[in-house]
Amino acid sequence: PLFVTFFQCALTAALCLGLSLGAACGPPCPSLPALRLDPKVSRSVLPLSVVFIGMVTSNNLCLKHVGVAFYNVGRSLTTVFNVLLSYVLLKQTTSLYALLACGVIIGGFWLGVDQEGAEGTLSWTGIFFGILASLCVSLNAIYTKKVLPVVDGSIWRLTFYNNVNACVLFFPLMMLLGEFRTLYYFDKLGSPSFWGMMTLGGVFGFAIGYVTGLQIKFTSPLTHNVSGTAKACAQTVLAVIYFEETKSFLWWTSNLMVLGGSFAYTWVKGLEMRKVQEDPNVKSSERNETGV
């Protein structure tokens, strides 16, 4: 899983650099600025890169141990971690209705775990990495918003620096976990179809990373996490159809609880933000709290 993620990061960095050089040779393109590696900027982006590595690695490890259909429930606690991190890091409280919505998400998570166990396909290792992925997704959105000013608000530069840092950080991790030895004995290392799939995955990873950065830049970490939940639910339905699986009523209920709780949380936060915007006398602390 680490090598797969390393390859995706390396390909993303190469695509950023290649497209930027191509744009420099042709007509000027404001969305594709010239890229050069500045050690000072790279150090500033490093905290985001560490969280990014945790996010993509735990995502891959979660998928390694659980089915694609259960992946949505396995890493559904991102919104809950948003609330916890807002309180721990920013000392911002959350309204009762928003906490109730988080309770629905947690209930859906536990119901999904229970139903997966009833079907005999539960992996506690997969659950652990799913929870870790939820935490890292929440931190990644927060740090992306925080680090953007360092690269002058350029998603293109942020994607480049983030993936270059990630490539460097992956080397000691792959050595520590013995993945170089595994690669040495891997029988498909010379297979064109293997590298074709790896390249396709890298291209999709590049596109997802760039669009994710744009969404966080122009909206908020919360909006990104909620749209990600909706995407995961569509992914669940497609996975069940593609793999021709049969799931119980309670299994589907757990997915609906996760989706419903996520959208209820968004709706509550949207009402709170509208109230803040309409009432000029609301205290600044309340403005900050509802803007998370």
Side-chain angles (χ1 to χ4, degrees), residues 1-291:
L2 293 181
F3 172 72
V4 170
T5 314
F6 163 78
F7 182 83
Q8 290 176 346
C9 292
L11 185 60
T12 296
L15 285 170
C16 284
L17 188 59
L19 290 172
S20 179
L21 291 173
C25 296
C29 183
S31 62
L32 299 178
L35 295 175
R36 63 181 183 87
L37 199 58
D38 185 339
K40 184 179 179 180
V41 176
S42 185
R43 285 194 300 270
S44 299
V45 178
L46 188 59
L48 171 64
S49 302
V50 173
V51 172
F52 174 75
I53 282 181
M55 179 184 72
V56 292
T57 302
S58 53
N59 269 333
N60 284 353
L61 288 170
C62 179
L63 276 172
K64 179 181 178 181
H65 294 283
V66 305
V68 178
F70 184 67
Y71 177 70
N72 170 40
V73 174
R75 51 175 298 278
S76 60
L77 300 180
T78 302
T79 302
V80 178
F81 279 118
N82 264 358
V83 173
L84 290 174
L85 291 172
S86 295
Y87 180 76
V88 173
L89 300 179
L90 306 175
K91 304 303 180 185
Q92 295 173 351
T93 57
T94 304
S95 67
L96 175 62
Y97 290 115
L99 290 175
L100 289 174
C102 289
V104 174
I105 296 172
I106 295 173
F109 171 78
W110 280 115
L111 180 60
V113 169
D114 176 73
Q115 291 303 300
E116 198 74 8
E119 294 183 2
T121 54
L122 178 65
S123 167
W124 284 107
T125 303
I127 294 298
F128 169 77
F129 284 117
I131 294 173
L132 183 60
S134 298
L135 173 61
C136 289
V137 167
S138 180
L139 284 171
N140 181 74
I142 292 171
Y143 274 101
T144 297
K145 201 80 171 179
K146 185 177 180 180
V147 171
L148 269 171
V150 176
V151 291
D152 301 321
S154 172
I155 295 299
W156 197 257
R157 294 183 66 203
L158 180 62
T159 302
F160 174 71
Y161 277 104
N162 193 29
N163 282 276
V164 168
N165 284 349
C167 288
V168 175
L169 293 172
F170 267 122
F171 267 98
L173 288 174
M174 288 191 291
M175 290 183 64
L176 184 65
L177 297 179
E179 288 207 3
F180 286 115
R181 179 180 174 84
T182 304
L183 281 170
Y184 182 78
Y185 292 105
F186 185 52
D187 59 348
K188 293 183 175 61
L189 207 57
S191 168
S193 61
F194 169 74
W195 289 109
M197 291 298 291
M198 287 283 286
T199 302
L200 184 63
V203 171
F204 278 127
F206 164 75
I208 291 169
Y210 186 68
V211 172
T212 295
L214 283 176
Q215 185 182 44
I216 294 171
K217 177 181 178 180
F218 290 111
T219 58
S220 69
L222 174 62
T223 302
H224 164 65
N225 292 331
V226 171
S227 66
T229 301
K231 177 270 300 178
C233 286
Q235 173 183 288
T236 298
V237 174
L238 289 173
V240 170
I241 294 172
Y242 181 81
F243 293 108
E244 299 180 350
E245 299 175 346
T246 302
K247 300 295 184 181
S248 67
F249 173 77
L250 287 178
W251 190 93
W252 284 111
T253 301
S254 70
N255 279 269
L256 290 174
M257 287 176 68
V258 168
L259 181 62
S262 298
F263 279 110
Y265 180 85
T266 311
W267 181 66
V268 169
K269 299 301 283 187
L271 290 178
E272 292 174 355
M273 292 176 71
R274 192 178 307 161
K275 181 180 177 182
V276 168
Q277 292 168 354
E278 292 175 353
D279 187 355
N281 297 318
V282 176
K283 294 184 294 184
S284 60
S285 60
E286 293 177 353
R287 288 177 181 272
N288 291 334
E289 188 262 310
T290 55

